[in-house]
Coordinates of all heavy atoms in Angstrom, one line a residue:
Chain A
L70 N 97.8 26.6 82.3 CA 98.1 26.0 83.6 C 97.3 24.5 83.6 O 97.8 23.6 84.1 CB 97.4 26.8 84.7 CG 97.5 26.2 86.1 CD1 98.8 25.9 86.6 CD2 96.7 27.1 87.1
R71 N 96.1 24.5 82.9 CA 95.4 23.4 82.9 C 96.1 22.2 82.2 O 96.2 21.1 82.8 CB 94.0 23.6 82.2 CG 93.3 22.3 81.9 CD 92.7 21.5 83.1 NE 91.8 20.5 82.8 CZ 90.5 20.7 82.9 NH1 90.0 21.9 83.2 NH2 89.6 19.6 82.6
R72 N 96.7 22.5 81.1 CA 97.5 21.5 80.4 C 98.7 21.0 81.2 O 99.0 19.8 81.3 CB 98.1 22.1 79.0 CG 97.0 22.5 78.0 CD 97.6 23.2 76.8 NE 96.6 23.6 76.0 CZ 96.4 23.1 74.7 NH1 97.1 22.2 74.2 NH2 95.5 23.8 74.0
Q73 N 99.3 22.0 82.0 CA 100.4 21.5 82.8 C 100.0 20.7 84.0 O 100.7 19.7 84.3 CB 101.0 22.9 83.5 CG 102.4 22.9 83.7 CD 102.9 24.2 84.2 OE1 102.1 25.3 84.0 NE2 104.1 24.4 84.8
M74 N 98.9 20.9 84.6 CA 98.4 20.3 85.8 C 97.9 18.9 85.2 O 98.2 17.8 85.9 CB 97.2 20.9 86.4 CG 97.6 22.2 87.0 SD 96.2 23.0 88.0 CE 95.0 23.2 86.7
V75 N 97.4 18.7 84.1 CA 96.9 17.5 83.6 C 98.2 16.6 83.3 O 98.1 15.3 83.7 CB 96.1 17.5 82.3 CG1 95.8 16.2 81.7 CG2 94.7 18.2 82.7
M76 N 99.3 17.2 82.9 CA 100.5 16.5 82.6 C 101.0 15.9 83.9 O 101.5 14.9 84.2 CB 101.5 17.3 81.9 CG 101.4 17.2 80.4 SD 103.0 17.7 79.6 CE 102.9 19.5 79.9
E77 N 100.9 16.9 85.0 CA 101.5 16.6 86.3 C 100.9 15.3 86.9 O 101.6 14.5 87.4 CB 101.3 17.8 87.3 CG 101.6 17.5 88.6 CD 101.1 18.5 89.7 OE1 100.6 19.6 89.2 OE2 100.9 18.3 90.8
V78 N 99.6 15.1 86.7 CA 99.0 14.0 87.2 C 98.9 12.7 86.3 O 98.3 11.7 86.5 CB 97.4 14.3 87.7 CG1 97.5 15.4 88.7 CG2 96.5 14.6 86.5
G79 N 99.7 12.9 85.1 CA 100.0 11.7 84.4 C 98.8 11.4 83.5 O 98.6 10.3 83.0
S80 N 98.0 12.4 83.2 CA 96.8 12.1 82.3 C 96.9 13.0 81.0 O 98.0 13.6 80.7 CB 95.6 12.5 83.0 OG 94.4 12.0 82.4
G81 N 95.8 13.1 80.3 CA 95.9 13.8 79.1 C 94.3 13.9 78.6 O 93.5 13.0 78.9
S82 N 94.1 14.8 77.7 CA 92.7 14.8 77.0 C 92.6 13.7 76.1 O 93.4 13.3 75.4 CB 92.6 16.2 76.3 OG 91.5 16.2 75.4

Side-chain angles (χ1 to χ4, degrees):
Chain A
L70 177 65
R71 170 64 168 271
R72 294 180 190 247
Q73 207 175 348
M74 293 186 298
V75 171
M76 272 201 287
E77 175 196 340
V78 301
S80 189
S82 169

